[in-house]
Amino acid sequence: MAVELDVFVGNTTIMDEEVYQLWLDGYTVNDAVKVRMEGGVLEECEASADVLLSDTMDQYRTFHMCERLLHSPTKLANQLLFQIPPHRQAILIERYYAFDDAFVREVLGKKLSKGTKKDLDDISAKTSVTLKSCRRQFDNFKRVFKVVEELKGPLVENIRQHFLLSDKLARDYAAIVFFANNRFETGKRKLQYLTFQDFAFCAGQLINNWTVGAVDNLVDDMDVDLDKEFLQELKELKILITDKDLLDQHKSLVCTALRGKTKAFNEMEANFKNLSRGLVNIAAKLTNTKDVRDFFIDLVEKFIEPCRSDRWTAADMRLYLTHYTNSAHILDTFKHQVVWDRYMGVIKSCIFKMYHD
Amino acid sequence: MPGKLKAKIVAGRHLPVMDRASDLTDAFVEVKFGNTTFKTDVYPKSLNPQWNSEWFKFEVDDEDLQDEPLQITVLDHDTYSANDAIGKVYIDIDPLLCSEAASVISGWFPIYDTIHGIRGEINVLIKVELFNDLNRFRQSSCGVKFFCTTSIPRCYRAAMVHGFVEELVVNEDPEYQWIDRIRTPRASNEARQRLISLMSGELQRKIGLKVLEMGGNAVVGYLQCFDLEGESGLVVRAIGTACTLDKLTSGSAPSTNTALPTSSSSPPPFSPSKPCSRQSSSSDTDLSLTPKTGMGSGGSAGKEAGPLKTLLRQQTQTALEQREFPFFTLTSFPPGFLVHVGGVVSARSVKLLDRIHNPDEPETRDAWWEEIRQEIKSHAKALGCHAVVGYSESTSICEEVCILSASGTAAILNPRYMREGCLDTGSTDHRLFLSVPDVLFTTIDMPPEAAVTGKGCLIQARLCRLKKKAQGEVNATAISNLLPFMEYELHTQLMNKLKLRSMNALFGLHIQISVGENMLLGLASATGVYLTALPAPGGIQIAGKTPGDLNNEHHILTIQKRINDTIAKNKELYQINPPELTEELVGSPIPEPRQRSRLLRSHSESSDELSELDLSHGKKDAFVLEIDDTDAVEDIHSLLTDNSPPTGFYSCNTELMPGIYNWTSGVQMFTSVRVFRLIHANLTNQGLNKIFTDLCENLLKSFYFKLRSMIPCCLCHLNFTVAVPEEELIQVAVTAVAMTFDKDHSQEKSADKPTTKEQLQFPLELCADSSSSNNQPSSKISGTASVDYGSFADRCSTWLELLRLKAHTIRRGSVKTSRRTQSLAHSACIHAHTPPCMPPGVTVVKMTPLSFLPGTRIIKYLGIINMFFIRETTSLREEGGVSGFLHSFIAEVFAMVRAHVAALGGNAVVSYSMKECVLMENPNKNQAQCLINVSGDAVICVKETDQEPMPSTTNTGQTCSSGADGAT
């Protein structure tokens, strides 16, 4: 006796959130049945393994049929094939576009191209996220990227409207799109300690302050491309390290302010010129695309690592950067206050986020 | 030219990409009605075209308006080659022809293609302007309302129930025409869909005409079926109950309803010269196997053939009996309508199909049904009843063999309700009132006024019988020979299972026998209950063939103990705690078998053995199951292995679960289909039975599991349909609705329901001339049960005897049962409390096989939904195999039903059913085809805001009786 055909269709589409997650995670039907059995769902409802298999198959089929609609979530709301209550639609979409941090960390900043897609099995092996799930997540990134690429207006808002995602998830996608577009290097060993959320935060800072959209919100790609003019202006900051007087003056201002407030004062004083050179050099080089890609690695190498080896605490870091930024305003020969603030505002919050004790 | 149909094509959305180069579509629309076609402009390069067309106007006869659907075709314009069809929408405009139904059809419809399924949506607007035309010879029947609902629709009252209407139309099946060899599958499917749509329209129009002739204005319990007879043609047939319905306006007082508009002008509803009943001659008996094959003994020949009719014509009996068929397709009735319920009557007949030579003369098929109906009628008469309620007809076709089946419940109706008042009731009623059976089988829903103890449950009897493959008459004879045994055994199983649950009545009994090439499947479903008015059922006693064998004795004792345990467990499960007066009986599930009526399983026994049956008329019956061979042991095992639903679940196949009264608004309608392939080469009947039983049980288990989030919940109106689509395949399709209820208050209702005037009035009216003890409704629950205790004991044996006779002298597949009971005259309120808020959302269309949605009130019926779809694929694997294919097809059918309802302005479908689901597959060729026919009533329902519990039922009952009183 063999089941040749077995379907169950409800007028209101029945979807079990647990099974949906298993489907999203790329489990095969049989594996999903195993997981569900171990979860003890059988005991609660006096069912047998056959029942579970049949149910899982039904649900997998339903999800498979829904997947096409999930690719353009706005369709899900006015399609007629499935009757799904609105709150359920929201869950379906949100879960479908959710991603694994381990996976996104691997592809963050990479070109969302066929080449990367071919590497997915390696990523799958490395992150122990199933290949099927990797593909879905990768395709989601790519799909969102393609849609917002051609749209005007704020990135996060566009993503939220076209994919009906929550604010949090839309922001994460904005970060992914931003990183993919600027191809920031995130894979180096020195950057491994940083989580996706660290990067997402930094992306948010960059989008809000350094892109074209930060000054003008009616341009194509306004939130995706960095503001070229601004990057050009950053070169002017070099005076802070090339002018010896200015550098000394800056150092003494910062040291006066810091003295007695931290245990790491001696290290700060000793390292001031190095650290300042590091930060200003990063700023000055950002006109080169190559150096933009290395932005995060530079931050880590030129600033975070020296501080860490001197055992600064997070509070030390905060103290130092605050005074370092503010003291520049008191330098009377330094004329680039606006650019300095725009630069240091982002650098400060990025470093705070990236500096793990 | 009495009608003008206007259509406007507004827009499309989500269209498929038809031009790969641009990833876009140049869509335009053709709108066709009859032979007139209009086209919209091409809307270039868009997947969301905005045509916003002018109004296309069709000036047509109302006859065509009824028959024809509006056909909308969406195409992709192609400059260089033929335009590609994207898909079609067929819109039945019938609902617009009735002033009380919808006034406009407007909304998004899925664009459907028989090969690709749904491909985007189209927004259309349709209106009809009807000109009044009082041509008395007209062929149309605009304005007659149709309802699938098998009760008086909620916002109407029945001024009069006229009775049975039937009609059938036949045609050649386009799939089997020569042209099918050269046209595409798509063209062939569309031809079929269109033909069936036309035929249903025609059928409905003809039925409407009959109703008008009878003086009615509506058909209730409209049941339309297709017989796909293959080579020999396509039959569309329908039955229903003609009524005169008055709309209940919320403010109207009952007194306004006393004047009956039909009373003066229309012919008396029961007049002997019924114009509607077709007097088709059944002389063409070549096709009818029954008289010819020699199976029919002398006894039956006289019964079935001509003489009966002549006899009937001579009869000068009551008005009701003078009708050709006093049948009612309704399954629930206004209070007071049913006086007495006799028992289930059924008739089956095996026919050989032959090509329908002339589609305009569907006489052969008519004669077949005529014959069956006559048999039903005579069965009912034999039970002392003059009417058949809960009547339905069905067929099962395999190659050229067709089993026609009809069944219903013999009953006596309240003559006053019929307004004629000429029924001869006196003595008959008296007699019937006093006879109380111990078990009652019916095909109707449980009357709301019947009191039950505890809860009910779904009871199924399942049976498989192998048969040899054969052709023609030999095959038909073999099937005819098997049928009575199958019926007998299904009844036995039902009876045993009923007793195992300590219940004493079955409602909604539906027995389906399905024929395949090498087997017959029988499935009987019903809802068992413990009717308080009936005595407790006897237990089940196990007996060995060879008493004295110690080993055997021990074995029997073990089984007996298991049975007793099961009975005790079931009593607790279904909360069956009958009143104290039956305590001695209840105390021990198995009463001492002073005298036994022995129940033998029939299939293996020879007729000699059967004739030795000891059918004594004992005071108490205990069913005795004899264990004489291993088969019997297995039978008993299968009895005991029926799983009861898990905690929190109940199930029934009637509209509502007896014993649950406080439904909340959670509703989930579903359809489930399973096909099993039998892979064991040599299957025995027992093996098959087990497989079939497991199949059904596993399906139920699956439902419970899937719907576990709705607990506490009841699966209502579980409708199983079995088929043998191919050799070695068994298909079971189920449609049902899961409904939530409030657990905490499930018990209180029947107890604290105050006695109202109607409830008093009802039994008084019924029992006007019966003994005085029956006149006190309050004492009836306990009273009758104890007083008449002795008189019901022989019922079961009578029933058995009838069955035995049937099984013994094999005539044809028919069984009649003689269950009798007193009137079901107790009041219980089935209606729910006002439920918590329904979830918001305007586009949601709820569907249910029930005639209502809990917690809501139907304020308007928008018309009947009757849709037929074909889906075919040549890429079965790519669509996920047969399961994937059927899954999406069923989802598409739901979507199209919802879209039509929404376009009519409705928000729900009630009395929804899937009449047909025929799946053919050929995995080797990567092909499959499926046909689905669904129907239901589109309605607008609103949240039940006020506290009045049953506006329709109570009012209807009262107004009707007062209306009837006024008239007579």
Side-chain angles (χ1 to χ4, degrees):
Chain A
M1 186 174 66
V3 185
E4 180 99 355
L5 177 158
D6 179 11
V7 298
F8 177 102
V9 190
N11 181 38
T12 305
T13 307
I14 293 182
M15 291 172 172
D16 183 312
E17 288 183 27
E18 187 202 344
V19 186
Y20 186 51
Q21 196 55 54
L22 292 170
W23 177 75
L24 289 174
D25 289 344
Y27 283 78
T28 62
V29 172
N30 288 329
D31 290 346
V33 169
K34 265 181 226 149
V35 173
R36 295 183 79 188
M37 271 164 101
E38 284 156 16
V41 73
L42 284 185
E43 287 86 65
E44 315 169 8
C45 350
E46 311 166 32
S48 68
D50 287 350
V51 167
L52 208 52
L53 179 67
S54 149
D55 179 59
T56 312
M57 299 259 273
D58 261 326
Q59 306 237 14
Y60 266 54
R61 258 198 313 273
T62 310
F63 300 141
H64 184 73
M65 286 158 71
C66 273
E67 192 164 17
R68 194 176 46 86
L69 296 163
L70 287 164
H71 289 169
S72 42
T74 43
K75 272 191 193 168
L76 192 65
N78 59 12
Q79 53 85 33
L80 303 176
L81 189 56
F82 299 102
Q83 186 156 273
I84 307 170
H87 69 276
R88 254 177 192 259
Q89 290 181 14
I91 295 174
L92 284 184
I93 296 167
E94 191 79 4
R95 293 267 188 92
Y96 189 79
Y97 283 89
F99 47 80
D100 291 303
D101 280 354
F103 173 79
V104 71
R105 199 54 195 79
E106 292 298 320
V107 294
L108 194 65
K110 286 195 179 139
K111 206 172 167 189
L112 299 175
S113 65
K114 287 221 173 76
T116 314
K117 198 166 178 183
K118 278 186 196 136
D119 300 337
L120 287 183
D121 31 6
D122 293 340
I123 296 175
S124 165
K126 188 176 168 193
T127 57
S128 64
V129 174
T130 59
L131 184 59
K132 215 176 148 233
S133 180
C134 287
R135 292 219 175 102
R136 170 181 61 83
Q137 299 181 34
F138 184 80
D139 289 341
N140 283 344
F141 297 161
K142 209 170 149 181
R143 192 176 314 112
V144 173
F145 186 89
K146 278 189 87 171
V147 167
V148 297
E149 207 178 23
E150 291 155 10
L151 292 170
K152 291 184 175 157
L155 183 59
V156 176
E157 196 49 37
N158 281 341
I159 292 174
R160 202 167 47 201
Q161 277 181 7
H162 277 81
F163 293 92
L164 308 176
L165 301 178
S166 67
D167 190 58
K168 167 81 175 68
L169 197 53
R171 278 177 199 287
D172 285 352
Y173 268 93
I176 292 164
V177 168
F178 185 74
F179 267 67
N181 188 61
N182 291 293
R183 312 269 302 280
F184 288 109
E185 176 61 65
T186 65
K188 287 272 160 59
R189 215 168 50 81
K190 283 180 176 165
L191 294 177
Q192 283 308 314
Y193 77 99
L194 292 168
T195 65
F196 168 72
Q197 284 309 326
D198 293 335
F199 283 118
F201 174 83
C202 298
Q205 291 295 314
L206 267 67
I207 292 169
N208 288 336
N209 299 295
W210 286 6
T211 57
V212 195
V215 281
D216 178 359
N217 55 7
L218 281 170
V219 205
D220 278 357
D221 291 340
M222 57 174 243
D223 281 350
V224 191
D225 294 334
L226 295 175
D227 183 354
K228 292 256 160 51
E229 273 176 49
F230 166 67
L231 297 183
Q232 207 61 45
E233 286 165 8
L234 283 178
K235 282 187 184 294
E236 313 287 339
L237 300 182
K238 274 197 108 164
I239 194 158
L240 280 176
I241 49 171
T242 48
D243 186 323
K244 184 123 194 339
D245 289 346
L246 216 51
L247 183 60
D248 288 337
Q249 211 182 337
H250 195 184
K251 181 181 171 181
S252 71
L253 280 171
V254 173
C255 288
T256 315
L258 288 175
R259 194 185 306 273
K261 288 188 181 153
T262 164
K263 284 179 187 163
F265 176 75
N266 290 335
E267 289 84 354
M268 286 178 182
E269 190 175 27
N271 266 336
F272 178 86
K273 287 186 180 171
N274 254 341
L275 293 175
S276 188
R277 275 196 202 104
L279 287 182
V280 175
N281 276 331
I282 291 174
K285 288 194 302 176
L286 281 177
T287 40
N288 299 329
T289 325
K290 169 76 182 64
D291 292 305
V292 171
R293 288 184 195 169
D294 288 340
F295 175 69
F296 292 100
I297 189 101
D298 286 345
L299 273 187
V300 169
E301 281 179 352
K302 302 281 158 52
F303 194 84
I304 293 174
E305 281 186 343
C307 299
R308 198 184 286 141
S309 64
D310 287 343
R311 295 169 192 279
W312 293 23
T313 63
D316 292 337
M317 178 66 75
R318 203 168 284 271
L319 196 67
Y320 177 83
L321 282 177
T322 311
H323 288 291
Y324 176 72
T325 311
N326 294 345
S327 303
H329 296 296
I330 314 170
L331 300 169
D332 27 319
T333 50
F334 182 61
K335 304 289 179 213
H336 310 287
Q337 306 292 356
V338 179
V339 180
W340 176 249
D341 278 348
R342 190 173 171 191
Y343 177 69
M344 278 313 291
V346 171
I347 293 291
K348 244 191 332 190
S349 32
C350 286
I351 291 178
F352 290 161
K353 191 76 187 173
M354 291 164 70
Y355 192 78
H356 300 183
D357 274 329
Chain B
M1 197 276 295
K4 191 190 271 179
L5 169 68
K6 302 196 296 177
K8 184 184 173 96
I9 307 298
V10 184
R13 69 182 181 196
H14 307 155
L15 294 190
V17 169
M18 297 301 281
D19 178 3
R20 296 241 170 248
S22 66
D23 268 1
L24 290 167
T25 296
D26 305 320
F28 71 101
V29 182
E30 277 181 10
V31 187
K32 187 176 175 199
F33 190 82
N35 295 317
T36 318
T37 306
F38 293 102
K39 280 182 192 176
T40 66
D41 297 333
V42 175
Y43 194 92
K45 304 210 180 305
S46 172
L47 298 183
N48 300 292
Q50 304 289 321
W51 292 290
N52 222 346
S53 77
E54 60 188 296
W55 284 99
F56 300 124
K57 294 176 185 125
F58 302 87
E59 293 175 345
V60 279
D61 286 341
D62 48 359
E63 187 184 336
D64 288 339
L65 282 173
Q66 283 194 292
D67 288 6
E68 294 261 357
L70 182 71
Q71 179 182 315
I72 294 168
T73 313
V74 186
L75 299 112
D76 176 51
H77 175 74
D78 201 326
T79 320
Y80 304 108
S81 58
N83 299 325
D84 290 327
I86 295 173
K88 282 190 155 78
V89 182
Y90 294 96
I91 301 174
D92 179 12
I93 43 162
D94 230 35
L96 295 182
L97 306 180
C98 177
S99 55
E100 281 172 45
S103 57
V104 63
I105 296 176
S106 164
W108 289 99
F109 290 88
I111 302 168
Y112 181 72
D113 178 72
T114 60
I115 306 292
H116 293 104
I118 290 177
R119 305 173 95 188
E121 289 126 34
I122 185 168
N123 192 299
V124 293
L125 197 58
I126 301 161
K127 286 179 180 171
V128 170
E129 280 169 27
L130 274 184
F131 311 124
N132 261 344
D133 179 20
L134 297 171
N135 180 359
R136 38 190 339 226
F137 302 105
R138 63 182 186 164
Q139 288 298 300
S140 81
S141 54
C142 291
V144 175
K145 295 180 281 288
F146 284 79
F147 300 92
C148 292
T149 299
T150 55
S151 55
I152 301 302
R154 298 268 160 155
C155 46
Y156 291 92
R157 75 169 193 88
M160 175 137 43
V161 180
H162 300 279
F164 190 61
V165 279
E166 51 81 26
E167 184 63 81
L168 65 81
V169 292
V170 298
N171 212 316
E172 271 186 89
D173 190 336
E175 184 95 340
Y176 294 89
Q177 285 165 345
W178 67 270
I179 194 170
D180 203 58
R181 292 180 200 160
I182 53 167
R183 67 181 163 194
T184 62
R186 175 180 286 120
S188 165
N189 292 338
E190 284 173 359
R192 257 178 132 183
Q193 284 191 165
R194 191 178 137 72
L195 178 70
I196 288 185
S197 179
L198 273 172
M199 287 169 78
S200 333
E202 182 191 344
L203 192 70
Q204 222 170 301
R205 174 173 57 82
K206 286 186 169 169
I207 292 232
L209 279 173
K210 289 184 173 182
V211 172
L212 290 177
E213 280 176 67
M214 292 165 100
N217 65 3
V219 182
V220 181
Y222 185 67
L223 175 72
Q224 185 191 285
C225 294
F226 299 94
D227 297 332
L228 300 164
E229 296 185 350
E231 289 280 340
S232 59
L234 190 62
V235 177
V236 186
R237 56 191 165 78
I239 55 175
T241 305
C243 295
T244 302
L245 296 184
D246 290 346
K247 189 148 171 61
L248 289 172
T249 46
S250 46
S252 77
S255 58
T256 57
N257 290 321
T258 44
L260 294 173
T262 51
S263 57
S264 55
S265 57
S266 68
F270 299 144
S271 66
S273 58
K274 294 276 300 161
C276 71
S277 51
R278 187 187 287 268
Q279 297 289 336
S280 60
S281 72
S282 51
S283 58
D284 179 21
T285 47
D286 286 346
L287 293 170
S288 161
L289 265 173
T290 324
K292 279 201 78 182
T293 51
M295 296 181 302
S297 60
S300 72
K303 201 172 141 202
E304 323 297 349
L308 180 69
K309 254 197 240 168
T310 17
L311 191 74
L312 276 171
R313 285 200 199 96
Q314 290 162 357
Q315 278 171 341
T316 50
Q317 286 192 357
T318 63
L320 190 58
E321 281 173 51
Q322 275 163 355
R323 303 176 177 216
E324 189 166 25
F325 298 114
F327 297 169
F328 299 86
T329 54
L330 305 181
T331 58
S332 63
F333 302 89
F337 191 91
L338 285 179
V339 172
H340 162 80
V341 176
V344 170
V345 284
S346 76
R348 286 180 210 280
S349 159
V350 182
K351 300 290 181 189
L352 275 181
L353 299 173
D354 194 4
R355 180 171 286 275
I356 299 169
H357 295 287
N358 182 1
D360 295 328
E361 296 282 324
E363 283 187 344
T364 317
R365 303 301 186 273
D366 257 345
W368 289 354
W369 286 111
E370 169 96 9
E371 201 179 293
I372 293 261
R373 288 170 193 145
Q374 289 295 358
E375 193 176 332
I376 290 280
K377 188 176 168 181
S378 64
H379 286 335
K381 267 172 72 81
L383 294 179
C385 294
H386 60 222
V388 176
V389 294
Y391 180 73
S392 67
E393 295 175 348
S394 62
T395 58
S396 169
I397 297 171
C398 176
E399 303 290 329
E400 81 265 273
V401 173
C402 174
I403 302 182
L404 310 181
S405 311
S407 72
T409 303
I412 293 176
L413 310 179
N414 187 351
R416 293 191 189 199
Y417 208 89
M418 294 291 161
R419 208 174 56 88
E420 293 299 290
C422 52
L423 272 179
D424 173 22
T425 50
S427 58
T428 357
D429 264 12
H430 189 73
R431 182 174 61 80
L432 289 169
F433 270 117
L434 291 178
S435 65
V436 180
D438 67 341
V439 177
L440 175 73
F441 282 22
T442 71
T443 59
I444 55 171
D445 269 333
M446 200 182 76
E449 62 267 28
V452 289
T453 304
K455 299 217 168 38
C457 76
L458 178 76
I459 293 180
Q460 282 193 322
R462 301 132 184 163
L463 192 63
C464 278
R465 279 290 167 268
L466 289 166
K467 80 172 183 62
K468 288 211 176 68
K469 268 201 242 177
Q471 297 291 314
E473 300 213 349
V474 183
N475 192 20
T477 312
I479 294 168
S480 305
N481 286 345
L482 276 171
L483 285 179
F485 289 114
M486 291 189 69
E487 294 239 20
Y488 173 76
E489 215 167 311
L490 287 169
H491 274 85
T492 310
Q493 266 192 44
L494 281 177
M495 184 62 91
N496 287 336
K497 289 185 176 180
L498 186 68
K499 287 185 175 279
L500 208 55
R501 286 166 179 81
S502 271
M503 294 174 182
N504 58 17
L506 285 181
F507 287 97
L509 176 63
H510 178 75
I511 300 180
Q512 198 199 352
I513 290 187
S514 201
V515 60
E517 271 186 74
N518 60 344
M519 66 173 126
L520 287 170
L521 285 182
L523 180 67
S525 308
T527 300
V529 291
Y530 186 105
L531 280 182
T532 316
L534 295 184
I540 297 173
Q541 178 86 19
I542 302 291
K545 192 93 172 175
T546 48
D549 185 343
L550 272 177
N551 213 354
N552 207 12
E553 288 283 281
H554 176 72
H555 184 57
I556 287 168
L557 280 176
T558 339
I559 296 179
Q560 180 72 64
K561 186 172 180 310
R562 277 183 64 194
I563 287 185
N564 293 357
D565 289 350
T566 312
I567 293 180
K569 205 185 82 197
N570 281 332
K571 273 191 177 168
E572 200 175 315
L573 185 66
Y574 301 112
Q575 298 157 9
I576 296 170
N577 313 303
E580 323 79 60
L581 65 125
T582 47
E583 207 164 45
E584 0 98 44
L585 193 76
V586 180
S588 61
I590 312 299
E592 278 301 304
R594 275 172 254 171
Q595 283 160 308
R596 294 166 171 177
S597 73
R598 307 161 96 195
L599 183 69
L600 287 174
R601 294 164 26 267
S602 70
H603 65 95
S604 56
E605 264 75 38
S606 69
S607 47
D608 294 37
E609 264 180 289
L610 277 167
S611 60
E612 289 164 14
L613 269 175
D614 170 26
L615 292 160
S616 51
H617 296 198
K619 219 170 183 323
K620 287 175 191 166
D621 296 309
F623 262 50
V624 180
L625 294 178
E626 271 206 6
I627 304 183
D628 47 1
D629 52 22
T630 44
D631 285 5
V633 177
E634 289 205 14
D635 274 6
I636 290 168
H637 273 294
S638 70
L639 260 187
L640 291 167
T641 48
D642 258 15
N643 290 305
S644 46
T647 322
F649 269 110
Y650 293 94
S651 55
C652 62
N653 77 332
T654 44
E655 282 240 311
L656 281 174
M657 176 69 170
I660 297 178
Y661 304 105
N662 43 331
W663 301 97
T664 49
S665 57
V667 169
Q668 171 66 278
M669 190 282 293
F670 61 87
T671 289
S672 182
V673 182
R674 260 186 208 189
V675 175
F676 272 63
R677 185 175 286 281
L678 308 164
I679 42 179
H680 307 292
N682 290 314
L683 277 168
T684 57
N685 278 335
Q686 290 294 335
L688 266 178
N689 277 347
K690 170 120 182 37
I691 287 171
F692 185 37
T693 302
D694 286 350
L695 208 171
C696 295
E697 286 288 325
N698 286 339
L699 260 175
L700 285 169
K701 274 191 217 160
S702 268
F703 301 158
Y704 298 139
F705 180 75
K706 276 184 189 292
L707 301 162
R708 64 193 184 283
S709 65
M710 293 178 78
I711 287 176
C713 147
C714 179
L715 303 186
C716 295
H717 213 286
L718 270 164
N719 183 19
F720 279 67
T721 319
V722 292
V724 190
E726 274 172 49
E727 205 181 330
E728 329 246 275
L729 289 187
I730 298 180
Q731 175 185 319
V732 182
V734 185
T735 295
V737 63
M739 300 206 297
T740 54
F741 60 91
D742 190 352
K743 204 169 193 171
D744 302 332
H745 304 97
S746 58
Q747 296 285 16
E748 71 177 34
K749 255 294 161 65
S750 54
D752 61 14
K753 178 78 187 155
T755 312
T756 61
K757 188 170 169 283
E758 298 91 78
Q759 285 159 357
L760 269 169
Q761 179 192 345
F762 170 50
L764 278 169
E765 187 180 275
L766 286 183
C767 309
D769 43 15
S770 60
S771 66
S772 61
S773 68
N774 280 342
N775 277 339
Q776 290 138 18
S778 53
S779 69
K780 223 168 184 179
I781 305 171
S782 53
T784 40
S786 61
V787 168
D788 298 328
Y789 196 64
S791 65
F792 62 77
D794 58 334
R795 289 304 139 201
C796 189
S797 16
T798 318
W799 176 75
L800 272 176
E801 197 168 337
L802 270 166
L803 273 175
R804 184 181 61 82
L805 283 170
K806 278 286 172 182
H808 189 42
T809 53
I810 306 154
R811 275 183 260 124
R812 49 197 286 177
S814 62
V815 161
K816 78 186 153 187
T817 56
S818 64
R819 312 277 83 237
R820 291 170 186 185
T821 186
Q822 68 181 125
S823 61
L824 305 163
H826 297 292
S827 54
C829 177
I830 265 179
H831 283 257
H833 288 299
T834 308
C837 292
M838 294 209 336
V842 275
T843 52
V844 172
V845 174
K846 294 202 171 190
M847 289 163 78
T848 175
L850 309 183
S851 62
F852 68 100
L853 277 166
T856 66
R857 207 176 49 203
I858 295 171
I859 54 166
K860 193 169 184 184
Y861 282 82
L862 299 165
I864 199 167
I865 296 283
N866 186 3
M867 298 165 93
F868 177 85
F869 297 104
I870 301 177
R871 180 89 150 78
E872 188 165 343
T873 183
T874 49
S875 51
L876 190 58
R877 270 188 298 276
E878 294 78 357
E879 294 196 32
V882 267
S883 294
F885 170 68
L886 189 63
H887 192 138
S888 49
F889 185 33
I890 293 175
E892 283 167 352
V893 169
F894 284 179
M896 288 185 277
V897 170
R898 287 193 301 256
H900 276 78
V901 173
L904 289 169
N907 60 3
V909 186
V910 296
S911 300
Y912 169 82
S913 74
M914 186 170 78
K915 247 81 131 292
E916 204 81 62
C917 177
V918 186
L919 179 73
M920 286 154 285
E921 48 161 330
N922 189 341
N924 296 331
K925 283 187 174 173
N926 208 16
Q927 288 176 345
Q929 190 193 38
C930 186
L931 295 81
I932 287 184
N933 174 218
V934 296
S935 65
D937 293 325
V939 297
I940 304 176
C941 55
V942 294
K943 223 167 31 166
E944 206 164 49
T945 42
D946 44 358
Q947 283 294 319
E948 51 171 344
M950 39 158 81
S952 49
T953 317
T954 328
N955 285 346
T956 311
Q958 191 170 22
T959 53
C960 285
S961 40
S962 62
D965 286 342
T968 44

